Amino acid sequence: MTEPSNHTDKVSSSADDRRGRIHFALAAGMLLLAAVAWNIVLIGKYFAKKPVPPPANAEFDNHFLTNFPEKIGPYVLAGDGELSRNRELDGEPDGLLVQRDDDLDTLGIMRHDMNWYYMAIYRDTRAEARSVGRFIRLDITYYTGLLEAVPHVGERCIVAGGGTIVYNQCKPVPVNLLPLLPKWNQWQDVKVYRTTYEIRRKDGTVTRASQYHIFSMNGEPAHDWIKVRWDMGALSLKYCYFAKIQVATQAPEPDVEKSDAICGEFIRYVLPEVLQFLAAPDDVKRLEKK
């Protein structure tokens, strides 16, 4: 009579164990869901940043900065017919690179009303007609009011486009800017990040070139995009923006030292102009105090 009783007890105990595991799994699942939900609330509350508006002097048309200078020292915006293959005239400067809405959406510009961009090609009036350094491209993208924005940097975009990064040539390069207003003193001697890469053409030839970028993170210079993303998530910041300024020769310059000289000279002139359309550190601090 005792054996059936023991068997029943074992079956009952096994069933209890299964029910216990099920209850534990349900409880763990509920805790996990609660943790995820709570983290979403925390992220939305503490990591989402309020927008930093551009200075009052900035003018826009569909996110495009329309009043950036057409002449910067010895550099002028490429004129009508200068860059078109057949030198066709359409009444608009060839140097203005207005983007389509779908491209702006890809860049993340469309995610906030205060985001803006400026893309253009300038001509060095001192350069010889067929020199590589005659035309230089400038790309500025400004982001604010976002929970998360991934800067589009060369190391990502070039690889996505089929290029190969030459990592032993990628590094920060020092640039000394023209005199700046006191509120921008921290920008006087900055470093821009050089990304050198190679593109293999259909005929098998390989072309090498370099491009350069620097960020303004709430008015402070930074060349490391990882640092920019880290700083954007700081709990101490309520207001946040970052802008990426990128420069490259329009035609590839394979010699890294020559590329540094050409683009470094352009950056020396153009960055002080770019800063006039960005909020300075003190401007952001005033927003934080409010």
Side-chain angles (χ1 to χ4, degrees):
M1 295 295 292
T2 57
E3 289 182 1
S5 175
N6 289 338
H7 176 71
T8 302
D9 290 342
K10 290 178 181 178
V11 172
S12 176
S13 176
S14 177
D16 289 342
D17 288 343
R18 285 198 299 272
R19 284 195 295 269
R21 288 194 296 270
I22 292 171
H23 290 159
F24 176 80
L26 288 173
M30 292 296 291
L31 288 172
L32 178 61
L33 288 174
V36 170
W38 181 240
N39 281 323
I40 290 173
V41 171
L42 286 177
I43 289 172
K45 182 176 180 180
Y46 293 108
F47 284 89
K49 307 301 181 183
K50 296 181 180 180
V52 177
N57 62 304
E59 300 175 4
F60 305 100
D61 181 11
N62 193 29
H63 299 277
F64 185 80
L65 180 66
T66 57
N67 62 330
F68 195 81
E70 295 186 2
K71 187 178 188 304
I72 306 169
Y75 303 93
V76 295
L77 188 68
D80 192 8
E82 283 195 75
L83 299 175
S84 56
R85 291 183 179 180
N86 300 319
R87 295 193 175 274
E88 296 176 355
L89 303 178
D90 60 5
E92 296 292 334
D94 287 359
L96 289 180
L97 306 177
V98 180
Q99 304 298 302
R100 300 177 303 179
D101 284 355
D102 55 345
D103 292 329
L104 294 180
D105 189 52
T106 300
L107 289 170
I109 297 293
M110 307 289 281
R111 295 179 188 173
H112 197 280
D113 290 342
M114 290 185 186
N115 290 349
W116 61 267
Y117 76 102
Y118 179 77
M119 298 180 183
I121 298 173
Y122 284 80
R123 172 170 54 85
D124 187 345
T125 58
R126 305 162 300 180
E128 297 179 1
R130 295 185 177 276
S131 67
V132 171
R134 191 179 186 209
F135 292 104
I136 303 175
R137 174 162 176 158
L138 169 66
D139 292 343
I140 309 169
T141 46
Y142 178 97
Y143 301 91
T144 191
L146 302 177
L147 175 61
E148 179 184 26
V150 179
H152 292 261
V153 291
E155 292 184 11
R156 290 183 164 195
C157 301
I158 290 168
V159 172
T164 301
I165 305 298
V166 185
Y167 286 102
N168 63 353
Q169 295 292 331
C170 298
K171 67 175 186 178
V173 179
V175 178
N176 178 257
L177 305 184
L178 293 179
L180 299 168
L181 294 174
K183 65 179 180 178
W184 297 109
N185 278 342
Q186 65 271 47
W187 286 76
Q188 194 63 66
D189 295 299
V190 296
K191 290 183 178 181
V192 298
Y193 193 82
R194 178 181 72 207
T195 303
T196 302
Y197 62 97
E198 293 179 344
I199 296 291
R200 183 174 295 276
R201 301 182 182 276
K202 293 181 179 179
D203 60 4
T205 60
V206 176
T207 302
R208 177 173 289 198
S210 298
Q211 63 182 34
Y212 306 79
H213 73 258
I214 187 171
F215 296 99
S216 172
M217 169 63 193
N218 276 4
E220 301 284 350
H223 61 263
D224 186 346
W225 72 270
I226 296 177
K227 183 179 185 303
V228 172
R229 286 200 61 184
W230 180 262
D231 289 347
M232 283 183 65
L235 296 179
S236 59
L237 290 180
K238 294 180 181 179
Y239 290 84
C240 188
Y241 87 86
F242 77 87
K244 185 188 77 169
I245 302 97
Q246 182 172 292
V247 169
T249 56
Q250 179 68 1
E253 173 51 73
D255 188 306
V256 174
E257 291 186 0
K258 288 182 179 179
S259 180
D260 285 356
I262 293 168
C263 292
E265 174 75 355
F266 180 68
I267 291 169
R268 182 170 180 265
Y269 279 90
V270 79
L271 260 185
E273 299 294 339
V274 175
L275 294 177
Q276 306 311 308
F277 297 93
L278 301 178
D282 288 345
D283 299 328
V284 180
K285 289 177 183 177
R286 279 192 289 270
L287 290 174
E288 293 281 353
K289 288 181 181 179
K290 290 181 180 180

